[in-house]
Every structure is written in C-alpha cells, then in structure tokens.
Amino acid sequence: MKRAVYPGSFDPVTFGHLDVIRRASEMFDVLVVSVLNNKVKSPLFSVEERVKILREATKDIPNVEVDSFSGLLINYAAENNMHVAVRGLRAITDFEYELQIAQTNRKLSGGALDTVFLTTSLEYAYLSSSSVKEIASFGGDISECVPDFVARLMKEKYIQ
Ligand code: PNS
C-alpha cells in the first residue's frame, strides 16, 4: 500500500492545490492531505476549518484522506507509514524553497521521506492562497481561484 502525504497550510485550498491533489491521488493508493498546525502564522481559517474545507473539496476522490499535523513532517510521516511527500511547483521561485525543504527532509529522515514534485497546470500557475486572500479582502472576484463554497466562506470571514 503506497501512502503519500501532501502537506501544506491550505489557507485556503485553491484550484491549484486541488489540481495537485487530483493528479497525485492517481499515483498512490492513499493520498493524505495534511494541514500544518503552525502556531507562528495567523491564518484566516483555523486548522479545523481548513480540514473541513479540504474534506468537502475532495469528497469525490475516494483515496484522499484529510488530516492535520504539528511538528516535523518527517516524524508525522514515519508515524503514519508515509514515505513520499507531494508538493506542487508553480515557478522557479518555488523551486529554491522547495528544494531546500525536500533535501532537509530526506537528510533528517535518513532517506525515509522523499519528495515528489508535480508541476502545477499552467492555468493555475499564478494562484497562491496569499493572493486569493488579498483579492477576497478587497471584495475582488475569486471565483476562478477557489470552489464556490470556499469563496462564500471567505466572504463571511472578511465581512466579520
Ligand atoms: O503550504 P506551505 O505553507 O508552503 O507548506 C509548508 C510545509 C507545511 C510543507 C512546511 O512548512 C513543513 O513541512 N513544515 C513542517 C515542519 C518541518 O517539518 N520542517 C522541516 C522542513 S524545513
């Protein structure tokens, strides 16, 4: 049974993430999409909300599970029998950061956790959770960026 983890902040999940999730789910028996519980960042959605949103957005993909984790990814992966981490690459600017994380994880885990990169589909290459939040905070149209129910939830957050 090949289990892979797709870790991230997912604040919120975008069509770019969902594209990576769909494609990675076809490569592994189980893909665990896991939300990092990062106490340093101040997110728009709580970890619980992000998990709920991801479950709704991936409910039609049977081999996708949604979870959350804190601490080091390599420890979480080892505890859950996952030996591959999936990450999306949009542009060269992502590469340096991602390469460093991937190499650190491989080294720290003694080779137990490798990283597979999927290049984001071109139509989503411009998307990031941060820009989606900025657009939504000014009342802009994010219908091309996130599922409708996520856009509604974001609107509610910014109205509060
Ligand atoms: O969506 P993001 O915020 O770019 O995801 C970053 C993430 C969650 C993949 C990365 O920050 C992570 O794995 N953090 C967990 C802590 C860890 O294992 N750090 C060691 C690698 S430098």
Side-chain angles (χ1 to χ4, degrees):
M1 189 76 129
K2 262 255 172 275
R3 287 164 62 81
V5 57
Y6 179 18
S9 301
F10 305 109
D11 185 40
V13 69
T14 67
F15 283 136
H17 296 128
L18 289 169
D19 172 54
V20 170
I21 291 172
R22 195 167 295 280
R23 287 157 58 208
S25 72
E26 289 165 14
M27 297 172 184
F28 301 96
D29 297 309
V30 176
L31 178 72
V32 181
V33 182
S34 202
V35 178
L36 174 67
N37 191 348
N38 184 348
K39 299 206 166 57
V40 183
K41 285 190 184 176
S42 48
L44 179 63
F45 292 103
S46 70
V47 172
E48 294 73 24
E49 286 172 321
R50 282 178 271 162
V51 165
K52 211 169 149 202
I53 289 171
L54 275 162
R55 288 210 172 112
E56 176 64 25
T58 60
K59 65 180 182 199
D60 62 325
I61 319 176
N63 64 332
V64 167
E65 293 172 11
V66 181
D67 193 16
S68 62
F69 74 105
S70 37
L72 287 180
L73 178 66
I74 55 160
N75 294 338
Y76 169 71
E79 284 157 15
N80 291 279
N81 191 30
M82 302 181 292
H83 302 287
V84 176
V86 172
R87 293 284 290 169
L89 280 181
R90 287 166 301 191
I92 198 77
T93 39
D94 283 341
F95 182 74
E96 268 187 63
Y97 169 69
E98 294 295 339
L99 182 69
Q100 190 189 13
I101 295 184
Q103 287 175 334
T104 306
N105 283 338
R106 190 147 188 274
K107 178 79 182 163
L108 275 182
S109 68
L113 185 67
D114 232 322
T115 303
V116 166
F117 293 109
L118 290 187
T119 51
T120 309
S121 298
L122 279 180
E123 60 200 296
Y124 305 125
Y126 69 97
L127 266 182
S128 76
S129 296
S130 319
S131 58
V132 173
K133 280 184 280 196
E134 185 155 345
I135 297 166
S137 73
F138 291 112
D141 179 10
I142 50 168
S143 60
E144 306 257 305
C145 310
V146 296
D148 286 347
F149 81 95
V150 179
R152 277 197 299 275
L153 290 171
M154 291 183 80
K155 219 177 198 170
E156 285 167 21
K157 287 271 179 194
Y158 285 116
I159 287 168
Q160 279 167 21

